[in-house]
Amino acid sequence: MNRGDGIQRLRVAALILGVASALLFTAWGGGHAIAGAKTILILGTDISDTNSLDPQRQFVYSAPITEHAVYETLVTMTPGNYKDVKPLLATRWETVDNGGALVFHLRPNVKFVTGNPLTADDVKFTFERLKYLKDDASALAENIARVDVIDPLTVKVTLDDKTQPLLPFLIAPNFGIVDSKVVREQGGLSTPDADKNDKATTYLDQRSVGTGPYTLARWSRSTEIELVRNPNYWRQPGAFERVLIRHIPDSATQVLQLKRGDIDAALNLTFDQLNALGGTPAISIVKGQSLDFMYIAFTSSPALSPPLSNKLARQALMYAIDYDGIIKGLIGGDAIRPASFIPVGLGGSTTDLTREFGYRQDLEKARALLSQAGYPNGFSFDLSYGSGADVGGVSYEVVAQKVQADLARVKIQANLKPMEQGNLRTAFRKGDLAATITFWNPDAMDPSLWADPTVQRVAKRVRWEPDPSIVSLVKQANGEPNTQKRDGLYVQFQKLLSDQANLCVLFQPMYSHAIRDSITGYQLTAAGWQADLYDVKPR
Amino acid sequence: MSRNYVLARVGVTLVMALAATLVVFLVAHFIPVDPVQAQLGDLASSKPEIVARYRAHWGLDKPLWEQYLIFLQRLSRGDLGQSIATRRSVLDDIKQYAPATFELATLAILLAFSVGVPLGVLAAIKRDSWLDHLARGTSLVGVAAPTFWLAFIALALFYGGLEIAPSPGRLDAGAAPPPQVTGLYLIDSLAAGDLRTFGNALGHLLLPSIVLAATTTGVITRTTRASMLDTLGQDYIRTARAKGVRERAVLLRHALRNALIPIFTLGGVAYAQLLSGAVMTETIFAFPGMGRYAFQSAVVLDFPAISGMTLVVGLTYLIVNLVVDLSYAAIDPRVVRR
Amino acid sequence: MIRAEVEAKAPGRAVVFDTSSAMRRVKRYWLPIAGAGLVAAWVVVMVLGPAIVPYSPTAVDLTARLQPPSATHPFGTDDLGRDVFSRVLMGARLSLPTGFAVVLVGGFVGILIGAVAAYVGGQVEEVLMRTADLVLAFPPLILAMAIAAARGVGVGNAVLSLIIIWWPQYARLSRSLILVQRDQEYVQAAHALGQGSVRTLLRHILPNTGGPIVTLLTLDVGNAIITFSSLSFLGLGAVPPTPEWGAMVSAGRLLIAQWWVSGMPGLAILSVVLAFNFLGDGLRDWLDPRARQR
């Protein structure tokens, strides 16, 4: 037998051996659905944007669901009601100093997962750390001038500007109270030099020191986050021993995993995928109204687009768009539309208002306005958007093409200009784009956080110089203590904004998560943490 | 191949890898993306204090040439800087993502070669037979179908439908990775004597490797076939046959050996490409690897990450191509260096 | 052999027209002929384009969304209610030429550079090959983004980006093949006889090394179309609503229940890859004198 034969046979043998062992290992090492014994809750979502689990630093989309489960705030909001603040770690509170400060009374006998008791010191430490880290989330603490400990269970928070709100901000997971003793041990600081000298983040990325029903056991970047039950929780313990938040960046893969039962909830499915799942046994869809919206920003700058700088032309545009078609056709009706830039559910914004003075498709009116504006034969402009991105499963690209088709009916030509997201953000925020389809999601749960930016940074982006009367109207509304009056002022403001026609809100989507019948109690919230994992129980 | 040649080549490799980072720096300068804007949230981006702090932290307030100098300085200390997106040292990022890609790529190329070469040889020998047509046909599927298609169909079929493949990801949900030695789960689990995790990791590697191998197998099969046909037509083959050398020896020792050069060339490029990551396959199989990291860094112009990646990828190509070039001499001694 | 049979049947009679031989050639080359036919069909579609599409490829109609293939819509409709068949036909006008251009120009440039490197050797070879390595290592996305930023977004510039990242593979391949040939006896013989280098290169070396290169070229056309789509996906290539096969496949990817949105353009790409492959194989066989003898 010569070498050639031997080598040939060896090759074949190796191949057979390799394939056989691979099959063996596959059968052995894989394919088990963990979701059988329900002590573990598994969620499937994209956590690649999570770059920290330090509660005072994280400010991305996917981290809050974890933060909310391991840290608790003084106050919170329940799904569907974004006006009333509810007690959590604070049992009651009052306004003092003529609206200049808030005093919170803490719940007694609450322990951190570390065993240390919750005291006012921890609140002071947390709030100050958030402010002085000067990181992404620190803007939320801007209105906090100082925090004082009155007694171990009472803390006083003084506002910087008492005409601006603070209470609703405090529900954000960034205000999740940390065990100051442990964080200090790990190099954490709440002093003004915290931005340079705080060293606790590395520790907090791997261990949580909160009061929540679960606690962080392990974070494997872009792989999974593992939480375990907190035995020291002050309420009924969490229903699961472990919670896994598994990184599954592809929504189609999430569908497969959900169907197979390897995950209990899929968080990022597109509308069409959810539709296709309808009727699948053991799978149901949980919906929740969000406060996000997709909108188009039109510039007022004649240098960027002479037609768009004309208000009548912009209004014509807004009368040409088929809003109902977009909502019914592209989202299956799972969305509503506010009248202007304050979402339905806040600040007096309701769908009735939309019917009253919001735009709707009216091609005749659009054509009339175009003639009035001096463009009887239409005009063209560039419409930019982020390629490959979507809101609630509806991609900008699809919406852009639909809007383009709508506008063509009144002879307005929209030239689509997709851009990669980094590029888009840079150009848009600099105010260099004629028209942009983009997205707004809540910074915090207060209408001032929509109204204010509209006349400040967003106005700059569309090169609009708002009349001083509008700016003072907004300021007045922000600081108005009486809710009814406040809402009225915001409605007034929205009418003006609507007339100005720089911002065209297309829709405010409902978010949907697909869940298996193995769990119950799953509810969506618009308050920023998507779902409260404490509510979820095995069926 | 002289030792001097190899040393000189290694030296050139290092210099070229550095040159690549300089070119990336310069080229990226053209792109009008502001990494701070790309990263910061809407609210934070409007606060000058926060923006200023960001810029200072990442040295983005300095002129480009100074940024590059700082990059070189750090590099000399083995520090690749900190990624703007992940807020972690780029080296740590690469230490996490590169091993996953390495395992995938290596398994894929082994599969591709062990299936592609024999298939290509057989197709060449039994030219125009049903085997030849089968080989050419199946190799086309691997090349014509986009990888993400194949990836999803494979996952839907073997995981979703037949339920014989494990869930996407490097390990089962909730399974702790083996203690870190190399980052390669296969090696680390063996080192820790943990056969369960070894099986787990291997099982999870199989399907994505097969998907990645599909395209490369197609190329290797067809290249082997084409190269073998070229070689088999050469005079020295006829001479060998005329001299009475056994057919099998003719095929393997003479024809295949000389046909190997283009196969190795393309295989080398394919391996290096696989080592740079495969973003769609990694996404669909939830495999955190270099492909996705490179893609996401490029889109937001995360300079430190891009530079670090370019360095690593550059070195990979240069090393792989160096090995391939050296192999030419081993295969065919007539390829003499001038 | 045919000849022998004919002679046996009619000894002494010279064969004037060898019909059976021609038939054999057709039978042998039926795949490449089919491939050529398919390419020709696509070219016709490209040229006739707007005249033959049953529906407008860009007419949005949300009430007709995601309909499966039927008599009125043989390829179904996509997520904006557009007729997929019309979009596939129109998509040929963009996808085919770009795929072809990238491979042809990139391949040609690469082969040339590789040949020069192998032939000249020494420092030149080092510089050229290390440049190829550098280009291979360069993040392709950054390159495409930079070119788009410097020269504007558009199909032409996307093709340029792709050509730049495409040539190194061919350079490496052609260099490796020519290295082998360069020192063969027949080349030395040709030189001894006074034949110039370039002539030797073109007339002797290239035909002998053609096999793997032609194979790679034909395989790459589909690859180029698909890579072009990833640029479109990022807004760097074809701008919507212009139909482009690769972009259509990407856009329809998540619609797993509505397989036709992604599947039909994918099949179009497959058909082109097959066609070019069969053509390429036939070309190889036809050019290779030794192969014909079998």
Side-chain angles (χ1 to χ4, degrees):
Chain A
M1 179 171 81
N2 72 31
R3 252 179 74 212
D5 277 335
I7 293 177
Q8 180 84 312
R9 289 202 191 149
L10 209 63
R11 268 208 203 122
V12 175
L15 196 64
I16 295 177
L17 197 68
V19 172
S21 13
L23 286 174
L24 212 70
F25 280 124
T26 312
W28 181 25
H32 300 135
I34 296 188
K38 216 57 208 129
T39 56
I40 307 182
L41 171 66
I42 307 184
L43 305 178
T45 182
D46 184 339
I47 55 168
S48 59
D49 61 343
T50 301
N51 51 24
S52 177
L53 288 177
D54 179 337
Q56 275 81 57
R57 282 200 196 272
Q58 69 76 18
F59 207 61
V60 297
Y61 199 71
S62 63
I65 191 172
T66 301
E67 302 288 49
H68 184 80
V70 302
Y71 293 98
E72 292 180 311
T73 45
L74 293 182
V75 292
T76 190
M77 282 181 181
T78 50
N81 182 344
Y82 308 111
K83 287 182 157 192
D84 303 313
V85 156
K86 307 257 167 59
L88 189 59
L89 286 182
T91 50
R92 57 192 173 82
W93 52 91
E94 56 259 359
T95 323
V96 300
D97 293 355
N98 209 1
L102 288 162
V103 172
F104 293 92
H105 300 270
L106 298 179
R107 190 178 299 274
N109 302 322
V110 173
K111 287 226 242 327
F112 290 102
V113 66
T114 53
N116 294 326
L118 167 72
T119 66
D121 265 316
D122 301 302
V123 176
K124 178 175 160 76
F125 179 80
T126 302
F127 284 20
E128 287 176 343
R129 184 164 184 262
L130 175 60
K131 189 180 173 79
Y132 292 122
L133 277 178
K134 300 205 187 79
D135 209 323
D136 238 344
S138 301
L140 292 175
E142 233 185 11
N143 199 10
I144 298 181
R146 49 182 298 131
V147 184
D148 296 299
V149 173
I150 309 286
D151 65 52
L153 285 180
T154 315
V155 62
K156 177 174 172 185
V157 181
T158 309
L159 279 68
D160 195 55
D161 179 351
K162 67 177 176 190
T163 64
Q164 302 300 314
L166 179 64
L167 190 59
F169 289 34
L170 299 181
I171 68 165
N174 297 104
F175 284 103
I177 312 297
V178 299
D179 182 346
S180 56
K181 191 152 162 289
V182 174
V183 176
R184 279 205 173 97
E185 275 166 21
Q186 296 297 328
L189 295 171
S190 61
T191 45
D193 65 322
D195 59 330
K196 293 190 184 55
N197 299 326
D198 181 290
K199 307 242 180 306
T201 304
T202 320
Y203 177 78
L204 290 172
D205 281 346
Q206 287 305 323
R207 287 282 172 276
S208 66
V209 291
T211 59
Y214 295 99
T215 183
L216 180 64
R218 180 168 57 90
W219 172 34
S220 227
R221 278 185 199 244
S222 290
T223 306
E224 67 188 2
I225 297 175
E226 183 178 351
L227 309 177
V228 296
R229 188 187 278 153
N230 174 4
N232 293 337
Y233 192 49
W234 54 274
R235 283 192 278 192
Q236 190 73 3
F240 298 96
E241 268 171 31
R242 287 163 84 194
V243 176
L244 289 172
I245 298 166
R246 195 124 170 97
H247 177 58
I248 308 174
D250 193 70
S251 58
T253 309
Q254 284 183 22
V255 170
L256 290 178
Q257 292 217 263
L258 188 72
K259 277 181 157 170
R260 181 127 172 224
D262 277 348
I263 57 177
D264 299 305
L267 274 56
N268 305 101
L269 305 189
T270 68
F271 160 65
D272 290 310
Q273 287 167 339
L274 289 162
N275 237 19
L277 274 178
T280 314
I283 293 181
S284 50
I285 317 285
V286 177
K287 296 191 193 192
Q289 185 59 57
S290 77
L291 296 172
D292 301 345
F293 41 68
M294 188 189 279
Y295 71 100
I296 310 182
F298 297 112
T299 190
S300 279
S301 154
L304 282 174
S305 170
L308 287 180
S309 64
N310 183 324
K311 186 164 83 164
L312 292 175
R314 292 200 299 274
Q315 290 178 348
L317 256 173
M318 287 174 66
Y319 275 113
I321 297 178
D322 177 18
Y323 304 99
D324 290 337
I326 292 177
I327 292 179
K328 255 198 357 216
L330 296 178
I331 318 176
D334 276 351
I336 51 180
R337 189 166 62 96
S340 187
F341 211 75
I342 297 184
V344 171
L346 279 186
S349 191
T350 62
T351 44
D352 287 331
L353 274 185
T354 314
R355 271 189 288 272
E356 190 193 311
F357 66 85
Y359 290 85
R360 73 190 71 79
Q361 188 180 43
D362 186 339
L363 298 179
E364 280 314 308
K365 196 148 184 199
R367 291 191 188 107
L369 281 166
L370 275 177
S371 301
Q372 243 187 302
Y375 296 102
N377 293 318
F379 59 88
S380 77
F381 70 96
D382 288 344
L383 183 58
S384 311
Y385 60 90
S387 46
D390 64 84
V391 172
V394 186
S395 77
Y396 289 121
E397 187 141 287
V398 166
V399 171
Q401 293 176 82
K402 164 70 176 149
V403 167
Q404 185 189 47
D406 288 341
L407 294 179
R409 294 176 71 186
V410 293
K411 299 210 206 114
I412 299 178
Q413 189 190 334
N415 303 317
L416 299 187
K417 297 253 174 276
M419 303 165 90
E420 339 87 58
Q421 301 185 49
N423 211 347
L424 183 85
R425 269 195 215 170
T426 308
F428 177 56
R429 289 181 188 172
K430 265 176 38 190
D432 288 343
L433 297 177
T436 319
I437 310 181
T438 180
F439 167 68
W440 191 272
N441 69 338
D443 296 316
M445 295 289 125
D446 188 83
S448 65
L449 282 163
W450 277 263
D452 237 8
T454 325
V455 293
Q456 306 220 1
R457 64 183 189 265
V458 178
K460 288 200 181 68
R461 291 170 190 169
V462 295
R463 312 263 175 160
W464 169 43
E465 285 246 22
D467 199 81
S469 61
I470 300 186
V471 181
S472 59
L473 173 62
V474 167
K475 206 151 194 292
Q476 198 192 342
N478 290 351
E480 172 59 56
N482 178 303
T483 318
Q484 241 189 321
K485 261 190 168 168
R486 202 178 188 225
D487 286 353
L489 288 169
Y490 280 129
V491 171
Q492 222 187 313
F493 167 62
Q494 290 198 77
K495 285 192 173 134
L496 293 169
L497 204 60
S498 185
D499 176 74
Q500 179 61 24
N502 279 112
L503 304 172
C504 173
V505 179
L506 293 173
F507 59 85
Q508 184 180 336
M510 289 198 111
Y511 286 141
S512 305
H513 293 183
I515 61 170
R516 286 192 69 87
D517 289 358
S518 48
I519 56 175
T520 174
Y522 197 97
Q523 266 191 304
L524 291 185
T525 173
W529 50 86
Q530 299 185 72
D532 190 338
L533 295 179
Y534 180 59
D535 295 333
V536 183
K537 298 173 180 11
R539 191 185 290 273
Chain B
M1 284 294 165
S2 67
R3 246 185 75 226
N4 281 341
Y5 173 71
V6 176
L7 282 176
R9 197 51 196 270
V10 168
V12 171
T13 298
L14 294 171
V15 171
M16 290 308 270
L18 267 179
T21 60
L22 179 60
V23 176
V24 169
F25 238 94
L26 293 173
V27 169
H29 180 57
F30 274 107
I31 303 174
V33 175
D34 180 350
V36 178
Q37 290 297 337
Q39 199 51 47
L40 276 182
D42 199 290
L43 178 61
S45 69
S46 66
K47 308 284 175 196
E49 221 186 21
I50 298 181
V51 172
R53 191 193 147 266
Y54 246 69
R55 279 201 203 288
H57 184 95
W58 269 287
L60 293 167
D61 48 355
K62 301 190 175 64
L64 205 66
W65 61 267
E66 209 181 314
Q67 289 184 44
Y68 189 65
L69 276 176
I70 295 177
F71 167 71
L72 287 178
Q73 268 179 336
R74 285 210 186 105
L75 192 60
S76 63
R77 291 193 310 252
D79 174 9
L80 287 172
Q82 195 188 20
S83 158
I84 301 178
T86 69
R87 297 176 172 222
R88 197 166 51 151
S89 91
V90 173
L91 201 57
D92 283 341
D93 278 344
I94 292 178
K95 275 199 217 159
Q96 183 190 348
Y97 300 130
T101 302
F102 186 80
E103 282 182 324
L104 260 185
T106 308
L107 199 54
I109 204 76
L110 285 174
L111 282 172
F113 265 93
S114 51
V115 171
V117 173
L119 205 56
V121 169
L122 285 172
I125 298 173
K126 306 232 195 311
R127 190 197 180 136
D128 288 334
S129 71
W130 65 269
L131 187 64
D132 184 15
H133 288 305
L134 180 70
R136 284 153 74 185
T138 51
S139 62
L140 278 181
V141 171
V143 175
T147 314
F148 63 77
W149 246 24
L150 286 177
F152 186 72
I153 291 174
L155 193 62
L157 187 60
F158 293 104
Y159 167 73
L162 297 174
E163 299 198 2
I164 54 175
S167 62
R170 288 184 82 187
L171 293 171
D172 278 344
Q180 172 103 358
V181 175
T182 59
L184 302 166
Y185 285 1
L186 292 180
I187 308 283
D188 290 353
S189 53
L190 283 180
D194 183 355
L195 283 182
R196 177 111 217 163
T197 307
F198 179 79
N200 198 337
L202 187 60
H204 283 262
L205 269 173
L206 271 181
L207 203 53
S209 306
I210 292 175
V211 167
L212 281 180
T215 314
T216 317
T217 309
V219 174
I220 291 187
T221 307
R222 291 189 136 255
T223 307
T224 307
R225 178 185 176 278
S227 192
M228 277 294 284
L229 286 176
D230 273 352
T231 324
L232 283 173
Q234 301 274 7
D235 291 334
Y236 61 84
I237 297 293
R238 291 219 300 227
T239 315
R241 283 198 181 117
K243 276 161 69 179
V245 179
R246 281 183 57 181
E247 188 61 15
R248 180 156 272 151
V250 169
L251 290 172
L252 293 179
R253 285 182 61 200
H254 294 281
L256 178 59
R257 201 158 149 187
N258 292 310
L260 278 179
I261 287 186
I263 302 170
F264 271 31
T265 311
L266 285 183
V269 174
Y271 187 38
Q273 271 174 344
L274 287 172
L275 285 172
S276 328
V279 53
M280 284 318 303
T281 310
E282 288 170 23
T283 304
I284 292 174
F285 282 95
F287 231 80
M290 295 283 268
R292 251 183 98 77
Y293 185 57
F295 179 77
Q296 285 171 331
S297 319
V299 172
V300 296
L301 220 63
D302 184 347
F303 272 120
I306 295 172
S307 308
M309 282 285 317
T310 307
L311 201 60
V312 169
V313 170
L315 283 172
T316 306
Y317 270 99
L318 292 162
I319 293 173
V320 169
N321 285 339
L322 174 60
V323 169
V324 168
D325 282 352
L326 290 177
S327 74
Y328 293 161
I331 296 171
D332 187 348
R334 289 174 303 161
V335 175
V336 159
R337 294 228 52 81
R338 291 219 193 131
Chain C
M1 284 225 52
I2 299 285
R3 250 215 171 84
E5 288 171 20
V6 169
E7 280 174 359
K9 280 181 191 152
R13 240 167 115 215
V15 175
V16 177
F17 182 60
D18 206 349
T19 46
S20 24
S21 167
M23 282 301 288
R24 243 191 107 192
R25 213 172 291 150
V26 168
K27 182 164 168 257
R28 195 203 168 129
Y29 284 104
W30 75 269
L31 270 179
I33 292 174
L38 194 49
V39 173
W42 277 118
V43 171
V44 168
V45 166
M46 260 176 66
V47 167
L48 291 181
I52 54 171
V53 288
Y55 300 87
S56 158
T58 53
V60 172
D61 178 11
L62 293 183
T63 60
R65 253 183 124 231
L66 295 176
Q67 287 174 352
S70 64
T72 45
H73 293 283
F75 283 7
T77 61
D78 70 2
D79 51 348
L80 279 166
R82 299 176 296 204
D83 177 46
V84 177
F85 183 61
S86 306
R87 284 178 69 79
V88 168
L89 289 185
M90 287 297 280
R93 309 188 102 204
L94 200 54
S95 307
L96 265 182
T98 50
F100 203 58
V102 169
V103 173
L104 213 59
V105 178
F108 181 70
V109 169
I111 293 169
L112 206 61
I113 293 182
V116 168
Y119 223 66
V120 175
Q123 297 276 43
V124 174
E125 181 183 12
E126 270 303 300
V127 168
L128 286 175
M129 284 299 113
R130 297 296 79 75
T131 310
D133 287 343
L134 203 88
V135 174
L136 278 173
F138 197 88
L141 195 51
I142 300 279
L143 181 69
M145 281 163 69
I147 291 183
R151 302 182 48 137
V153 175
V155 173
N157 290 326
V159 170
L160 180 64
S161 314
L162 286 182
I163 289 174
I164 294 178
I165 63 173
W166 222 265
W167 69 263
Q169 254 200 96
Y170 288 91
R172 279 197 65 76
L173 186 60
S174 82
R175 168 189 171 260
S176 69
L177 290 169
I178 292 174
L179 269 184
V180 173
Q181 297 292 324
R182 185 190 62 192
D183 296 308
Q184 299 267 26
E185 289 92 21
Y186 73 88
V187 173
Q188 292 170 351
H191 279 161
L193 290 174
Q195 188 173 58
S197 301
V198 176
R199 219 151 161 249
T200 316
L201 192 70
L202 292 174
R203 285 197 67 202
H204 296 284
I205 297 184
L206 278 182
N208 277 325
T209 60
I213 292 185
V214 172
T215 303
L216 191 63
L217 282 170
T218 55
L219 283 179
D220 255 355
V221 177
N223 202 4
I225 296 178
I226 292 167
T227 312
F228 183 72
S229 81
S230 64
L231 286 183
S232 300
F233 178 69
L234 290 166
L236 294 168
V239 177
T242 317
E244 194 270 307
W245 290 344
M248 288 165 71
V249 175
S250 285
R253 179 173 80 81
L254 296 174
L255 294 164
I256 39 188
Q258 293 89 7
W259 55 270
W260 56 90
V261 180
S262 204
M264 295 310 184
L267 285 177
I269 299 178
L270 186 72
S271 76
V272 168
V273 173
L274 285 176
F276 274 111
N277 260 282
F278 297 150
L279 250 188
D281 280 350
L283 202 68
R284 257 205 86 258
D285 288 351
W286 190 60
L287 284 176
D288 183 3
R290 281 176 293 255
R292 269 192 277 175
Q293 281 167 11
R294 284 255 204 130

